[in-house]
Structure formats: structure tokens, C-alpha cells
Amino acid sequence: MGILPPTLHHVGLVIRDLDAISAGYAELLGLDTWNVTDLGELTTGARVRGAHTQVTGRLGVGVAPWGDSFWLIEPGKGRSTYKDFQATNGHGIHHLGFAVEAAELQPTVDAFDRLGASVAQSYEVTGVGSVTEIDTRALLGGYYIQLVTPSGPDAFVVPEGRAVDLSRSYARPDGLGPLPVPRGIQHFGVVVRDMVERVDAHGNVFGISDWVVQNWRTEPGSLESPTFEGRPVDHEYFAAASPLDGPLGFEVVQPTLGPSDYKENFLNLVGQGIHHMNLVGLDDHAHWLRLRDWLQSAGVSVCMSGDLMGGAAEFYYIDTRKRLGGVVVECFGMDPNADLTQMKQRGPYYRISKEPAPA
Ligand SMILES: [Fe+2]
């Protein structure tokens, strides 16, 4: 059992320019319609780390075609955890948001307290409910958990602001785009310094009891033909994956040897955090090549890639940080014609499980 409800309410990002980044979500992901509100008008009774404050800035809320909600927060003046995050990270995924009923709010806060994570910020959202943010950056690795609590029986819905339709703000090549997202966000890739500690913490918070740990490295049967910034690379990392059938997926990554996007373009710059969303499914390689050309023209390049299972599967991290607000998108595809019985794929390094050992 975790201490949060199993399903995500929204993904919360701190960004620099709401107009530019919402346009990126529209062009790349087909998220065309946004509800834009003024945080200063929307919020009252804000406290950040015990001190009274006024949360200001703009909030853009959009629902992706596959159903996940994104909250884009452009911080204004004055202190908030959003402004703090902007100071330390620039931009990126600030929090994962979960809806918690009023009666469950204090027990949830207490449960986080017992894990060493306390409330960093809270405020009321006029007519809707309250927001409580837990500073889970040390516990989980660089991101907060936000609890949204409805004041009435209705679900927490951000009040109607200015409706923005961006469907005419871009022109994609014929027959291409938005990026194909067959099953929603498959996992959040959290880049950390200590994979084992962060896996245990994700287990406690999200109730995930079984992790498969791979030691990916440049060699046959593991990572094949890996690239970093367009060049072949010799590197290694540990990646612990939560079960694929869970409502919320995580991959906890600890880079070790050699250069990688995880380390060079993330951990060394902004520290631990949610580096990527595994989102895009690739059905065939030829289609991917056309997508890649379109992405290049939209200012998005491949920052890291590799083949798995002797080339039966391939993955590409595309550098969407400037278009989607500090987060990378992972694209993954399997060759439908590959004979998986012939694959020489290295097995897991080990499993981290809370299930009782077999007798
Ligand atoms: Fe991933």
C-alpha cells in the first residue's frame, strides 16, 4: 500500500513562457486547447515554508488527447515553490499532482512526515479547494508531490479562465504528427544519485513492490549502438523499472560510467529530478525517420538513443526541453518482425521486491 491514490491527477511543470510552451504541446503532442488563469487572482492564504506569501503568475491547464492533464506554471514575482524551482532548475517537472479528499489530507501529510517529507507550500484555490505541496525532492529525487483537495463533492477542477485554442498556431508536414502516444505516459524517468534509496522511497510512496533493475551498458545483449548527442558512446547506467501494468509507471535511473543525457545534460546541471516521460510509440522505423525530420525542423533533436534486444527494439530520447518546458520525451519501438525467441538479451541485474521470499 502506498500513501497516495493510484492515479495521477496532473503533471505540473514550471516553465518560463506559457505562450511558447503551450504552443509546443499543441504542435508536438496535439494538446491544442488551454485554460489560462491568473494565479494571483485564483489563490488566497498562501504559505511557503511557514511564511505568508502571494502566489502569482500564470497557470495554463490542458488535457492531452490521451487523457493526462498538464499544468504549466509560469511563476510571477514573489516567493513560491514554483519561483524557487525556477531559480534552481530553470524549468521542468516541478510536481506530480494527486487528488486527495479533505478527510484524507491530514493523514496523507502525516504519512509523508513519517518518511521525512514535510509541507513546503499550501494555498486555497477560490471556490474549488486547496493545494498542499509536499517537499519530496530529497525523498523521491528532485520533484514535489502536490495534493489537490476539493472543497465540495465535485472533483478539483481549475476555474474557467481564458480559453486558448492553438490548433492554428502550427503547420505540420502532411500526414505527420502529432507524436503518436498509444497508451499515455508509460513511465516517468527519474534521474537520481542513489537508485536503491530512491526505489525504496518510490515503493513506500506509490505502493510499488516489485522493481526490475537493469545494468544497461554498451555491449551486445545490453545497449547496442548507443548514441549521445549524435555520436557513438560507451556508457553505463542502472535503471529500475516498476511493473508495466501499474496505473503509474516509474523508471529510476542512476547514470554511472561515460557521458549520457542523464548526467551531462541533467544531473550535473540541475540535480535529481524527472528527466523524461516515456510517451511515444514507434510502429515502424521508416515512419520514425519521417518523424525525426519533422522534429528536427520543429527544433527537437535526438539527444540519446540505443538499440535493445539485438536491434529488435530501439529507443530515442528527443530533446523537447525547449518546446515542452524542461522535459525530455522518450520514444520506444519494437520491430514487429523480430524473432524474440532468438534474442540474446542479458537478463535483469537483480530485482528489488517487497514480496515475501518463496518458502
Ligand atoms: Fe525511460
Side-chain angles (χ1 to χ4, degrees), residues 187-189 251 253 262 276-278 317 330:
H187 64 243
F188 292 99
E251 177 184 57
V253 179
Y262 305 132
H276 67 265
M277 298 183 286
N278 179 296
Y317 287 111
E330 180 174 5

Side-chain angles (χ1 to χ4, degrees), residues 55-70:
V55 176
T56 64
R58 291 195 296 167
L59 169 67
V61 173
V63 181
W66 64 87
D68 280 312
S69 290
F70 288 88

